[in-house]
């Protein structure tokens, strides 16, 4: 060669949009493309961005292969850079074109480091070292650095995972995926949004269930809308007093994925006291008889996709009708910091249906949810009040059941709201929303 390296700039067009958004497929393909060309792979680092797009690089002993994809255009920009003459980057080009199902590709090769323009300088390597040399890694060892990123307008959550996707299926409602993350264990995502992880799911599920059950201790019949991961019914079924627990989940793939890969969460699906229905929760509520349930928990995803209809005044009015005279509705009510506009709007809706003094907000810390602070609503049809509960009974229950988050002190403290949350709930002004929301508002 008359140059130090060969650099091919590649553009792939008309690629499979699905493959261009699949970080696992892209990482595997890029590593395989390097190895097929005879390169020695050292490290791979890849990120998937929500809702779509993948960036990554494979570091090889002979230089690197890099990529960024635009699934919405079926397009990928790829750099193939190899040093010396032992690796042919065109082999990698051909491999990737097939792997990405590209309609066509364009490319340009550059020779990097023209030898006739360079002057070699000999130097003593030992004199340049100010630290001891790293131990030699075992031949064939590859460090994989693959990341899932849930990204919104202004904030993002990135979690490193093994690169081996445990579950990926498309239902008529959403894409259901499970990743094995290094920090939080197996993680369920729906349409690229984090739903729960093995290491922090207990926060959400304990707080959405034990607060109402300890406050409304006479409840006999409970209904859960959503919650296909099984965590909410797992917690409810700890209470022998409940004669009936009904779970209505629209997407059977969520149940399947969690049974397979989040078994600690999905542990109660075979419980004889559970009535599991795979159907539309909105339809179920509309057809439900008046005053049937003492407790209704709306364990919904965010207000997009199949969860959108669970965030309407019409739906909450139907829930109110289905409650007993002293019944309670619990919902996950989004983050006051992440999307302040939605937070304000849904609490205003609850108060119009249940009454100004019958709706209570409480908070919990959930690390893998946007901003880490999440809210729940306690809306009472009768006289039930979440701060009127038997503290000693709650303490005994928490200890006996080995709960990881909920206890009698957390129960009371969760209703102590920061001033900015009080301001949002009291005024709901556009100025307050713009001041506290981490996301752009409709007015911006």
């Amino acid at each position: 060669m008359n140059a130090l390296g060969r650099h091919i700039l590649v553009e792939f067009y008309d690629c499979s949009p699905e493959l261009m958004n699949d970080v696992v497929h892209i990482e595997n393909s890029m590593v395989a493309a390097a190895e097929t060309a005879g390169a020695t792979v050292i490290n791979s680092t890849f990120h998937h961005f929500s809702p779509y797009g993948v960036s990554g690089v494979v570091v090889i002993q002979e230089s690197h292969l890099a990529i960024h994809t635009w699934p919405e255009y079926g397009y990928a920009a790829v750099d193939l850079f190899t040093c010396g003459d032992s690796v042919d980057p065109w082999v990698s080009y051909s491999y990737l074109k097939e792997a990405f199902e590209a309609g066509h590709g364009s490319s340009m090769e550059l020779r990097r480091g023209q030898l006739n323009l360079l002057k070699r300088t000999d130097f003593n390597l030992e004199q340049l070292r100010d630290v001891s040399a790293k131990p030699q890694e075992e031949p064939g060892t590859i460090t994989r650095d693959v990341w899932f990123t849930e990204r919104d307008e202004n904030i993002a959550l990135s979690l490193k995972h093994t690169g081996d996707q445990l579950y990926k299926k498309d239902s008529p409602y959403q894409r259901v995926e499970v990743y094995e993350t290094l920090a939080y264990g197996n993680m369920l995502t729906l349409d690229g949004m984090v739903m729960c992880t093995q290491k922090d799911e207990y926060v959400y599920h304990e707080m959405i269930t034990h607060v109402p059950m300890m406050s409304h201790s006479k409840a006999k019949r409970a209904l859960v809308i959503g919650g296909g991961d099984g965590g909410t019914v797992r917690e409810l079924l700890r209470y022998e007093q409940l004669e009936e627990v009904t779970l209505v989940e629209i997407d059977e793939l969520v149940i399947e994925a969690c049974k397979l890969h989040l078994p600690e969460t999905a542990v109660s699906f075979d419980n004889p006291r559970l009535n599991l229905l795979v159907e539309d929760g909105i339809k179920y509520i509309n057809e439900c008889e008046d005053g049937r349930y003492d407790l209704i928990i709306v364990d919904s995803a965010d207000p997009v996709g199949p969860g959108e209809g669970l965030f309407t005044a019409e739906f909450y009015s139907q829930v109110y009708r289905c409650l007993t005279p002293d019944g309670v509705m619990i919902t996950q009510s989004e983050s006051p910091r992440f999307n302040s506009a939605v937070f304000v709007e849904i609490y205003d809706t609850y108060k119009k249906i249940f009454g100004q003094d019958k709706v209570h907000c409480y908070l919990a810390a959930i690390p893998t949810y946007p901003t880490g602070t999440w809210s729940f609503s306690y809306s009472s049809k009768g006289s039930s009040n979440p701060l009127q509960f038997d503290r000693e009974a709650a303490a005994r229950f928490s200890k006996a059941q080995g709960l990881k988050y909920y206890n009698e002190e957390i129960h009371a403290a969760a209703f102590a709201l920061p001033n900015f949350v009080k301001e949002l709930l009291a005024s709901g002004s556009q100025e307050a929303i713009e001041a506290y929301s981490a996301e752009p508002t409709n007015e911006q």
Side-chain angles (χ1 to χ4, degrees), residues 215-281:
S215 307
H216 191 33
S217 58
K218 296 181 180 180
K220 299 296 184 183
R221 296 189 301 275
L223 168 67
V224 179
I225 301 293
D229 54 58
T232 298
V233 295
R234 176 196 66 198
E235 297 303 314
L236 285 174
L237 289 165
R238 295 180 188 272
Y239 294 88
E240 294 298 330
Q241 73 192 57
L242 286 175
E243 300 169 356
E244 176 187 348
V245 177
T246 298
L247 171 64
V248 182
E249 165 61 50
I250 195 172
D251 195 340
E252 63 182 346
L253 292 189
V254 174
I255 299 172
E256 177 184 86
C258 292
K259 281 184 173 181
L260 291 172
H261 302 294
L262 286 93
E264 305 90 346
T265 307
V267 70
S268 297
F269 283 122
D270 294 329
N271 191 299
R273 285 191 293 145
L274 177 64
N275 178 28
L276 175 60
L277 303 174
V278 179
E279 59 180 84
D280 185 353

Side-chain angles (χ1 to χ4, degrees), residues 26-319:
I26 290 173
E27 193 258 353
N28 288 336
S29 298
M30 293 286 283
V31 170
E35 293 176 336
T36 301
T40 301
V41 177
I42 305 299
N43 170 274
S44 67
T45 299
F46 282 78
H47 289 258
H48 173 262
F49 301 103
S50 178
Y52 35 67
V54 173
S55 284
V57 61
V58 176
V59 178
I60 58 178
Q61 186 170 293
E62 299 81 5
S63 194
H64 69 271
L65 287 72
I67 187 171
H68 186 77
T69 71
W70 285 262
E72 67 271 34
Y73 298 109
Y75 170 78
V78 180
D79 280 9
L80 307 174
F81 195 156
T82 62
C83 300
D85 54 8
S86 62
V87 177
D88 183 357
W90 289 105
V91 174
S92 297
Y93 170 88
S94 299
Y95 185 96
L96 292 173
K97 183 179 180 183
E98 182 176 349
F100 297 159
E101 299 180 5
H104 66 283
S106 67
S107 58
M108 175 176 63
E109 181 173 352
L110 304 175
R111 295 296 174 117
R112 306 299 299 270
Q114 296 287 339
L115 289 176
N116 62 331
L117 300 177
L118 300 174
K119 181 180 179 180
R120 183 181 178 92
T121 301
D122 292 323
F123 55 87
N124 186 339
L125 181 63
E126 294 300 324
Q127 293 179 350
L128 298 180
R129 289 179 175 158
D130 56 8
V131 294
S132 60
K134 293 182 178 180
Q136 185 72 27
E137 293 184 350
E138 294 184 14
T141 300
I142 300 175
T143 302
R144 302 182 73 184
D145 200 16
V146 189
W147 292 77
F148 167 91
T149 298
E150 180 182 338
R151 182 178 64 182
D152 291 278
E153 290 291 330
N154 295 333
I155 62 176
L157 168 72
S158 290
L159 293 174
K160 187 176 180 180
H161 60 88
T162 61
D164 300 318
Q165 196 165 19
L166 302 178
Y167 188 96
K168 179 182 178 181
K169 290 185 181 180
D170 288 331
S171 75
Y173 312 103
Q174 58 206 347
R175 172 161 292 182
V176 182
E177 297 172 284
V178 179
Y179 297 87
E180 183 184 0
T181 74
L182 276 65
Y184 288 97
N186 293 352
M187 173 180 70
L188 171 71
T189 70
L190 301 180
D191 285 339
M193 295 182 290
V194 178
M195 293 296 109
C196 65
T197 74
Q198 285 182 308
K199 288 194 176 181
D200 75 350
E201 57 84 13
Y202 58 83
V203 180
Y204 179 95
H205 294 124
E206 290 182 14
M207 290 302 284
I208 205 170
T209 55
H210 301 311
V211 169
M213 286 301 298
M214 284 296 167
S215 307
H216 191 33
S217 58
K218 296 181 180 180
K220 299 296 184 183
R221 296 189 301 275
L223 168 67
V224 179
I225 301 293
D229 54 58
T232 298
V233 295
R234 176 196 66 198
E235 297 303 314
L236 285 174
L237 289 165
R238 295 180 188 272
Y239 294 88
E240 294 298 330
Q241 73 192 57
L242 286 175
E243 300 169 356
E244 176 187 348
V245 177
T246 298
L247 171 64
V248 182
E249 165 61 50
I250 195 172
D251 195 340
E252 63 182 346
L253 292 189
V254 174
I255 299 172
E256 177 184 86
C258 292
K259 281 184 173 181
L260 291 172
H261 302 294
L262 286 93
E264 305 90 346
T265 307
V267 70
S268 297
F269 283 122
D270 294 329
N271 191 299
R273 285 191 293 145
L274 177 64
N275 178 28
L276 175 60
L277 303 174
V278 179
E279 59 180 84
D280 185 353
I282 298 174
K283 179 176 180 292
Y284 181 88
I285 282 290
N286 289 339
E287 296 175 354
C288 179
E289 64 187 82
D290 293 356
R292 176 170 179 79
Y293 291 102
D294 302 300
L295 172 63
I296 297 179
I297 298 177
V298 183
D299 185 1
S300 61
D302 292 332
V304 293
E308 186 174 5
L310 302 179
F311 284 77
T312 66
E314 179 182 359
F315 173 74
Y316 297 129
S317 296
Q318 291 296 322
V319 171

